[in-house]
Amino acid sequence: MVTLMYEVKTTQPWKTPTDNKRRRIVAAGRSSQNVRCLTNLPSGILAHAASFLAAPSKVLFAVALDENSAVSPNERSSSIVGNQWSILDFGGIEKDLSAKLTDDDIEKVLLCIHAVNNVKRLKLANCVNITGAGLEPLRGSLIIQQIDLSLVGEHQSPNIYPEPPISCNRVIPILDSIIATEGCALRHVQFPLVWLQEPSTDSEFHQFIQRYNQMWENREEVNCLECNEGLPCSTNQWIGTNTLLSPDYGTQYNTCYSCIKHYCNYCKIEFCRTCQTDYCEDCTKMSDCRSCENSHCNDCYEHECHECNEKICLDCVETEYQCHKCGDCDKVLCSECVEDEDVKTDVYTCDQCNDSCCDVCRLRKFRQGQLGCSDCIKQVAPLLVDENKRMCEENEQLKIENKKLQCEIKELRTTESEGEKINDEAVNYFAPEDSN
């Protein structure tokens, strides 16, 4: 269980406060008492303190104060966690804390907030330490609409290393209990990438996808909210089952991740190749990568071409697909600029040492004695020549500017001398005559 620890410091840490110097708090309806533990504080004070925490942290705080509150919520835990739990997103807390949460922690959180009757959207962002057994309290939920098991935050690549231990054997029975319940409200499921990497029609995961698609077929027809076309489009499946297509396999179509509204592929929805998620244009803006020309969320882009400022997706940069990247300063040139003869490509990958570097960084490494490759040193020679030529030109320009400044100074001195002469003449002119 993830615990919360608080350190209380006095203004004079070398002195141990005595009982008669401890702060006393009068609890409602009770006599004053020494507060030696957070659990001795009134519920109102704890609830006010918890109001400054992210939503999941509130529940973790309540459970840390009293683990029994998960099974049997009391007045204190209820006042801390409140009752607004339609969305439970672990992406709202620190990534390091989420990564430490266990299945036991997740289960206690879900029990504490009565998730089976309250939570409509669950996002397990960064909970990379769970097997999925902690989702048991959601079994048979009639109100949950979205379950995100990708274990990453929004607009993040689903690639996780090392692979998370989340297990189909643990999670699928819980999902089955949800979709088998009459009146099920589930509309969108996002699976962890580790389940999609080795697709097989014999796997339990594949069988679940088919049962999920059958659930949609048993419902009333769903139409695109924009053009009213029947959904799903073309494939007649809500989740792709073609094991030969990646990343389509195991991905839900025609549903925006943010608003979970349904659109056809020709209207307002696009698939992002970075986070491998569908978004409608009302929720997220997308643009095409300059190199691979695939669509990506604008929030998923981390790089722009140094020359044309067009966006380049992370996959193209990491694989250096038709683009050049400096390994030292992250300067990137897109495929268009690399092939454009009018653009000087200053990012070069050495054939001998395979070091990818821009001119500025290569020259800096040469001066620091970090270049031991003969081919890289050959690349530095013309840079030194160009730099020397540029410095000579700058030196000549400075000489011209210096000469110009000297002329201006001379003019100012001449003007000042003339001004002093005129001033002296004026003084002499208006000076009173000698009485003698």
Side-chain angles (χ1 to χ4, degrees):
M1 176 65 197
V2 174
T3 58
L4 302 176
M5 296 189 299
Y6 298 84
E7 181 182 358
V8 180
K9 296 182 179 179
T10 65
T11 55
Q12 293 179 320
W14 59 88
K15 294 183 179 180
T16 302
T18 58
D19 286 344
N20 62 348
K21 290 186 179 180
R22 295 181 186 277
R23 183 180 180 184
R24 298 174 181 273
I25 296 179
V26 180
R30 288 178 289 178
S31 60
S32 62
Q33 57 183 355
N34 290 327
V35 179
R36 300 174 183 272
C37 179
L38 284 176
T39 55
N40 291 336
L41 288 171
S43 299
I45 294 178
L46 294 173
H48 180 69
S51 66
F52 296 95
L53 299 175
S57 293
K58 290 182 182 180
V59 195
L60 292 171
F61 179 49
V63 174
L65 291 175
D66 184 3
E67 292 192 16
N68 292 328
S69 62
V71 179
S72 177
N74 50 49
E75 178 186 354
R76 180 173 60 205
S77 64
S78 298
S79 64
I80 291 174
V81 303
N83 55 11
Q84 301 299 318
W85 287 103
S86 60
I87 300 177
L88 176 57
D89 184 3
F90 285 89
I93 61 178
E94 293 81 0
K95 187 174 182 179
D96 291 342
L97 175 58
S98 298
K100 295 176 182 178
L101 296 178
T102 64
D103 285 287
D104 185 53
D105 298 325
I106 300 296
E107 182 176 20
K108 288 179 178 178
V109 168
L110 296 176
L111 287 172
C112 186
I113 62 176
H114 300 287
V116 68
N117 296 319
N118 289 319
V119 174
K120 295 182 179 180
R121 305 178 70 174
L122 174 65
K123 301 180 180 182
L124 298 169
N126 305 315
C127 298
V128 295
N129 194 37
I130 65 172
T131 64
L135 301 178
E136 188 66 30
L138 291 176
R139 184 177 287 273
S141 173
L142 285 172
I143 71 165
I144 195 159
Q145 299 176 0
Q146 182 182 40
I147 302 176
D148 183 0
L149 302 168
S150 65
L151 308 184
V152 295
E154 196 167 359
H155 300 300
Q156 294 181 358
S157 171
N159 292 286
I160 301 175
Y161 182 82
E163 290 185 351
I166 189 166
S167 167
C168 278
N169 295 334
R170 297 282 192 176
V171 179
I172 294 300
I174 300 171
L175 296 179
D176 272 328
S177 72
I178 295 174
I179 66 174
T181 304
E182 186 176 355
C184 164
L186 192 60
R187 299 170 61 183
H188 184 263
V189 183
Q190 192 96 345
F191 299 110
L193 185 63
V194 66
W195 292 4
L196 313 178
Q197 291 179 329
E198 296 181 1
S200 170
T201 56
D202 298 327
S203 67
E204 181 58 33
F205 173 63
H206 188 86
Q207 301 304 316
F208 170 76
I209 293 177
Q210 293 181 322
R211 293 192 293 272
Y212 181 82
N213 286 332
Q214 184 62 47
M215 175 201 71
W216 278 99
E217 291 183 16
N218 295 338
R219 291 177 173 177
E220 296 182 359
E221 183 180 16
V222 179
N223 297 320
C224 171
L225 293 177
E226 189 72 11
C227 67
N228 206 37
E229 180 182 349
L231 299 176
C233 303
S234 62
T235 61
N236 294 321
Q237 293 178 325
W238 284 90
I239 293 185
T241 57
N242 190 337
T243 58
L244 301 179
L245 291 178
S246 178
D248 295 337
Y249 179 76
T251 300
Q252 181 158 341
Y253 302 114
N254 307 123
T255 308
C256 173
Y257 176 87
S258 288
C259 63
I260 57 176
K261 294 179 180 179
H262 304 300
Y263 297 98
C264 71
N265 298 334
Y266 306 103
C267 287
K268 300 177 65 173
I269 208 161
E270 282 191 87
F271 182 76
C272 173
R273 292 284 172 172
T274 298
C275 60
Q276 298 186 15
T277 306
D278 271 336
Y279 286 98
C280 72
E281 62 184 32
D282 293 333
C283 294
T284 295
K285 301 303 180 184
M286 293 196 184
S287 54
D288 293 341
C289 170
R290 182 73 165 179
S291 289
C292 66
E293 299 183 351
N294 288 323
S295 293
H296 303 265
C297 306
N298 287 347
D299 291 333
C300 287
Y301 283 106
E302 298 180 9
H303 301 278
E304 291 183 352
C305 176
H306 186 74
E307 292 292 335
C308 65
N309 296 324
E310 293 290 337
K311 298 182 184 298
I312 308 175
C313 72
L314 182 63
D315 188 50
C316 285
V317 172
E318 289 183 344
T319 59
E320 295 191 28
Y321 174 72
Q322 297 184 359
C323 65
H324 290 180
K325 173 190 174 185
C326 175
D328 292 274
C329 67
D330 292 332
K331 179 178 180 180
V332 179
L333 295 176
C334 71
S335 57
E336 297 289 335
C337 291
V338 168
E339 297 174 359
D340 191 346
E341 295 180 356
D342 295 332
V343 176
K344 181 183 177 181
T345 304
D346 65 346
V347 180
Y348 165 77
T349 302
C350 178
D351 294 331
Q352 182 174 333
C353 66
N354 205 34
D355 182 31
S356 183
C357 197
C358 70
D359 289 349
V360 175
C361 293
R362 182 173 287 107
L363 194 56
R364 172 181 54 79
K365 291 166 71 174
F366 171 77
R367 286 180 171 142
Q368 294 175 350
Q370 297 177 357
L371 286 184
C373 171
S374 58
D375 282 0
C376 288
I377 294 176
K378 290 179 181 178
Q379 291 292 324
V380 171
L383 299 179
L384 292 173
V385 172
D386 291 341
E387 184 181 51
N388 182 64
K389 181 179 178 181
R390 184 173 63 256
M391 292 180 68
C392 289
E393 292 175 351
E394 291 177 356
N395 187 47
E396 291 299 323
Q397 183 63 31
L398 289 172
K399 288 181 179 179
I400 295 174
E401 292 179 1
N402 183 48
K403 186 175 181 180
K404 182 178 179 181
L405 288 172
Q406 288 178 348
C407 291
E408 291 178 356
I409 292 172
K410 185 177 181 180
E411 291 178 359
L412 288 173
R413 287 177 175 174
T414 302
T415 303
E416 183 180 1
S417 176
E418 292 177 352
E420 291 177 352
K421 182 178 180 181
I422 294 173
N423 184 60
D424 291 341
E425 291 177 353
V427 170
N428 293 332
Y429 179 81
F430 291 104
E433 295 182 358
D434 193 342
S435 57
N436 293 328

